[in-house]
Amino acid sequence: MKLYLQYFSMLVRCQMQYKFSFWMMVVGHFFMSFSLFFSIFFLFSRFGEVDGFTFPEILLCFAVVSMAFSSAECFARGFDVFPRLIKSGDLDRILLRPRSVIFQVLCSNIEFSRLGRFLQALLILIYAVLTSGFAWSFDKIIALFLMLTGGFVTFSALFILYAAFSFFTIDGLEFMNIFTDGAKEFGRYPFSVYGEGILKFLTFGIPLALFQYYPLLYLTGRSDRIGLIFLPLIGFLFLIPCYAFFRFGLRRYQSVGS
Amino acid sequence: MKNVTKTFRVAKRSAGFSKAVKALFQKEYTDIHALQDVTFTIKDGEMVGYIGPNGAGKSSTIKILSGVLTPDSGSCLVNGRIPWKDRVAHVKEIGVVFGQRSQLWWDVPVADSFELLRDIYKIDPEQYRKTLARLTELLDLGEIVRTPARQLSLGQRMRCEIAASLLHNPKILFLDEPTIGLDAVSKIAVRDFIKTLNREEKTTVILTTHDMQDIEALTERVLLIGKGRVLLDGTLAELKKRHGTYKILTVDYTGNAFAVPPAADLIENLPGHAVLSVNTVVLSVSQAVSAISSTVEVKDISVTGESIEETVLSLYKEFDI
């Protein structure tokens, strides 16, 4: 952990070399995600509700997904740019250091400029919580917390999976973005609005609905099965196959010519 | 290292846009045998030069020895460990310098990179201070370490790279083209340092290079690799001897008849000027000179040996690599 902080301070120092660019990125990301917010806002000002969900409920869902995604992106950014690590040969260097590969990849890149997006998600979450009109009992606070951590872990696992694929393709795979960036986009709405099939896939295939749709049912009072709030924890299990696949890819690693 | 084989699968296609489109749907693969049955042993404290043309498998060998790559078959034991199986323990004892890639953080002063490395390798602070002081002195790093890496000249950066690879006092140092692109002064500084390191710390050094002067200045033993196979393993002197000991005689003379001594080949023959290649095993240089001067009036004569570059070049030719 101490070492992580040292890497962290190193990256801060590196990024601070380019102060102007840094602040522009933070501000840019802050406003960029507002455009998503407005798209929801205008949709609701016309239709009032989507699939039975009200505006604050949708906002809550949007804020949770957005926050989970941006924190995963901040933290696991190294896996997001993993193809670059392979191409530049920096992975060789990582393999030459006596620390775990996953840890070093996490340390290799921390994207502070995504803090703008995180901040914005936080604002919307606070707004949604205040306007939702739910009775914020203890179990609901736990539910919200588990949704956030579960989402964070699931997105991180997806980033690792994405990185693992690039062992085989060298370049990144765009289709994986459907589940990372894409999930952030269409995760604005509860996954049930996309139909039964998609919901099933996002439950049993890529477990995105586990931290979004099901706990939301409990949170909004649509279901009183308290078990639903623990579903996000399954996101942790999702880490295992992703990590195993990454290890498998690492063994097949070919390096690049030098 | 025993019978190590590594094959890469490389997608191949001809140049051109239409071929690129075709390759999207149907890829042709070729197996490249980067290493085939490579076997050698290196003793503690040895300094070994690893030479071969581009693409011969030098870097692949280094990457396998350092645990970055996993070979397809064969075994490899470094300090009693299998590098790719016991990676973390293994890399603590080795240092690797890739001449063409940096391990320093680009935007911060070199000293900051060193300190992060200290924590990554969990080096004892006292030990670290001593090692750094010594490296600073030997590599003349003094002011350089306070400069961000991106502002260093190539020679300065290379010295820092080498220092960075040695902070944890590794037992084995791999140098992959450490003098590439350096000017004469920096090259000599780097060579001197490697020599000192090997002599005083008994660090085993494995060096790949295209610069034969590196080899001549540093290593006793040379491994020649080509097309993924070890072709020669011996001392530099042996390598030279194997190729025969030819001397080149350039003669300027007056007079017309020129008797070519036996065991010498005429390479160039103009009126008043001749170049001969003499096999010194059969005919010594002095014998050749006296034989020539007995037939014509010699104005000027010069004797040159084959340079190591030429020796290696003819070796490459001999092995057809």
Side-chain angles (χ1 to χ4, degrees):
Chain A
M1 195 59 213
K2 188 171 150 254
L3 186 62
Y4 186 76
L5 290 177
Q6 260 146 354
Y7 262 110
F8 189 81
S9 93
M10 180 67 105
L11 289 166
V12 173
R13 271 176 281 167
C14 284
Q15 295 208 356
M16 286 307 151
Q17 292 275 322
Y18 311 99
K19 290 185 196 74
F20 182 70
S21 140
F22 173 76
W23 287 113
M24 285 304 283
M25 287 281 275
V26 172
V27 172
H29 279 290
F30 186 79
F31 283 107
M32 217 163 75
S33 16
F34 260 116
S35 66
L36 288 175
F37 171 75
F38 283 122
S39 74
I40 300 177
F41 183 77
F42 289 126
L43 189 79
F44 271 91
S45 62
R46 251 191 108 89
F47 298 108
E49 59 167 49
V50 170
D51 205 27
F53 288 93
T54 64
F55 181 53
E57 286 167 359
I58 296 283
L59 267 194
L60 195 66
C61 176
F62 167 66
V64 164
V65 171
S66 183
M67 237 173 111
F69 181 79
S70 59
S71 47
E73 208 187 15
C74 251
F75 179 72
R77 176 74 176 162
F79 287 102
D80 198 17
V81 294
F82 195 74
R84 228 193 285 161
L85 283 184
I86 292 189
K87 272 194 204 164
S88 67
D90 285 338
L91 186 63
D92 289 357
R93 187 44 74 183
I94 283 176
L95 287 168
L96 287 174
R97 296 204 168 121
R99 294 294 176 128
S100 112
V101 176
I102 296 274
F103 175 75
Q104 287 189 74
V105 175
L106 286 180
C107 292
S108 70
N109 208 316
I110 300 163
E111 195 59 81
F112 304 104
S113 53
R114 297 296 191 275
L115 283 177
R117 193 181 279 170
F118 182 79
L119 220 61
Q120 185 261 0
L122 188 67
L123 281 179
I124 292 179
L125 184 71
I126 291 170
Y127 176 79
V129 165
L130 292 178
T131 55
S132 62
F134 304 154
W136 283 98
S137 54
F138 182 66
D139 53 339
K140 289 197 172 171
I141 293 172
I142 294 283
L144 189 63
F145 176 73
L146 287 178
M147 282 167 89
L148 287 172
T149 43
F152 167 71
V153 169
T154 309
F155 277 124
S156 300
L158 281 170
F159 279 129
I160 293 176
L161 190 66
Y162 171 77
F165 270 115
S166 51
F167 278 119
F168 303 96
T169 58
I170 301 298
D171 219 333
L173 274 179
E174 282 306 312
F175 89 84
M176 275 301 294
N177 284 346
I178 298 171
F179 302 113
T180 52
D181 289 275
K184 179 202 69 192
E185 299 287 317
F186 58 75
R188 281 177 287 174
Y189 307 107
F191 287 125
S192 58
V193 306
Y194 302 104
E196 188 76 1
I198 299 236
L199 183 64
K200 276 215 174 97
F201 176 67
L202 293 176
T203 307
F204 302 108
I206 311 280
L208 285 166
L210 293 183
F211 73 87
Q212 190 235 34
Y213 177 67
Y214 299 107
L216 193 73
L217 288 183
Y218 183 80
L219 213 57
T220 55
R222 281 178 177 70
S223 163
D224 52 5
R225 302 216 314 266
I226 194 150
L228 290 180
I229 71 170
F230 297 109
L231 283 179
L233 294 176
I234 295 178
F236 285 91
L237 291 181
F238 185 55
L239 264 176
I240 297 168
C242 292
Y243 178 70
F245 189 49
F246 183 81
R247 299 292 310 188
F248 175 69
L250 194 60
R251 267 206 303 281
R252 295 264 318 257
Y253 175 54
Q254 294 210 334
S255 186
V256 285
S258 127
Chain B
M1 185 147 185
K2 245 178 117 180
N3 309 101
V4 168
T5 304
K6 175 86 189 171
T7 309
F8 294 114
R9 208 153 161 249
V10 176
K12 218 170 65 168
R13 67 173 175 83
S14 325
F17 181 73
S18 63
K19 295 279 170 40
V21 173
K22 200 182 140 209
L24 267 179
F25 302 102
Q26 196 179 37
K27 261 191 181 164
E28 288 168 44
Y29 287 102
T30 343
D31 286 344
I32 297 210
H33 302 286
L35 296 176
Q36 297 181 56
D37 242 357
V38 172
T39 305
F40 58 79
T41 317
I42 292 170
K43 284 198 278 300
D44 234 15
E46 237 184 329
M47 181 126 74
V48 178
Y50 199 44
I51 57 171
N54 290 327
K58 298 190 298 295
S59 293
S60 300
T61 314
I62 298 254
K63 281 174 187 166
I64 287 173
L65 283 173
S66 55
V68 172
L69 290 181
T70 312
D72 301 334
S73 66
S75 63
C76 171
L77 222 56
V78 184
N79 285 336
R81 288 195 194 89
I82 299 170
W84 59 91
K85 290 237 170 88
D86 212 348
R87 189 184 64 80
V88 172
H90 174 65
V91 295
K92 269 187 192 162
E93 295 188 347
I94 61 167
V96 185
V97 178
F98 290 117
Q100 317 204 48
R101 284 189 208 140
S102 182
Q103 59 169 317
L104 303 166
W105 279 262
W106 203 235
D107 292 314
V108 293
V110 178
D112 288 12
S113 293
F114 284 178
E115 273 169 29
L116 187 54
L117 284 173
R118 177 193 65 197
D119 297 325
I120 291 174
Y121 283 97
K122 299 179 190 156
I123 307 167
D124 171 60
E126 183 61 24
Q127 182 67 40
Y128 168 78
R129 228 170 28 80
K130 266 192 222 149
T131 315
L132 185 62
R134 192 175 140 71
L135 288 172
T136 307
E137 185 204 317
L138 282 174
L139 285 164
D140 195 16
L141 296 178
E143 282 305 303
I144 305 175
V145 291
R146 276 186 273 262
T147 322
R150 71 188 137 115
Q151 285 166 359
L152 295 177
S153 75
L154 192 58
Q156 291 171 328
R157 216 193 71 211
M158 190 53 68
R159 278 184 280 153
C160 293
E161 297 280 351
I162 293 176
S165 307
L166 290 170
L167 287 171
H168 55 290
N169 277 314
K171 288 189 192 138
I172 307 174
L173 178 65
F174 294 97
L175 296 159
D176 197 358
E177 302 187 29
T179 56
I180 196 162
L182 298 188
D183 64 28
V185 181
S186 309
K187 267 185 191 173
I188 290 170
V190 167
R191 278 178 207 152
D192 283 347
F193 173 75
I194 298 170
K195 234 189 252 175
T196 318
L197 181 82
N198 176 261
R199 197 177 52 232
E200 290 179 7
E201 311 274 329
K202 300 277 173 275
T203 309
T204 311
V205 178
I206 297 160
L207 171 90
T208 79
T209 185
H210 289 294
D211 188 334
M212 291 309 150
Q213 275 154 359
D214 284 352
I215 298 285
E216 210 160 18
L218 289 172
T219 62
E220 267 297 301
R221 182 172 162 205
V222 179
L223 280 166
L224 174 72
I225 185 175
K227 289 184 178 162
R229 293 172 189 281
V230 176
L231 300 172
L232 268 184
D233 180 357
T235 63
L236 200 60
E238 275 173 13
L239 195 137
K240 278 183 179 166
K241 209 189 280 165
R242 181 195 156 89
H243 188 61
T245 32
Y246 289 90
K247 296 276 180 194
I248 308 294
L249 260 64
T250 310
V251 191
D252 285 317
Y253 61 94
T254 48
N256 36 22
F258 191 92
V260 180
D265 288 322
L266 205 56
I267 300 173
E268 205 180 310
N269 190 17
L270 299 168
H273 178 83
V275 181
L276 297 104
S277 155
V278 180
N279 185 349
T280 53
V281 179
V282 187
L283 185 74
S284 77
V285 175
S286 63
Q287 284 170 332
V289 171
S290 63
I292 294 166
S293 52
S294 69
T295 55
V296 291
E297 172 109 3
V298 176
K299 278 202 301 195
D300 185 25
I301 193 160
S302 69
V303 184
T304 46
E306 236 186 7
S307 73
I308 174 121
E309 304 273 347
E310 285 165 322
T311 312
V312 168
L313 199 70
S314 47
L315 273 175
Y316 286 1
K317 265 192 202 144
E318 188 186 326
F319 286 112
D320 192 26
I321 52 177

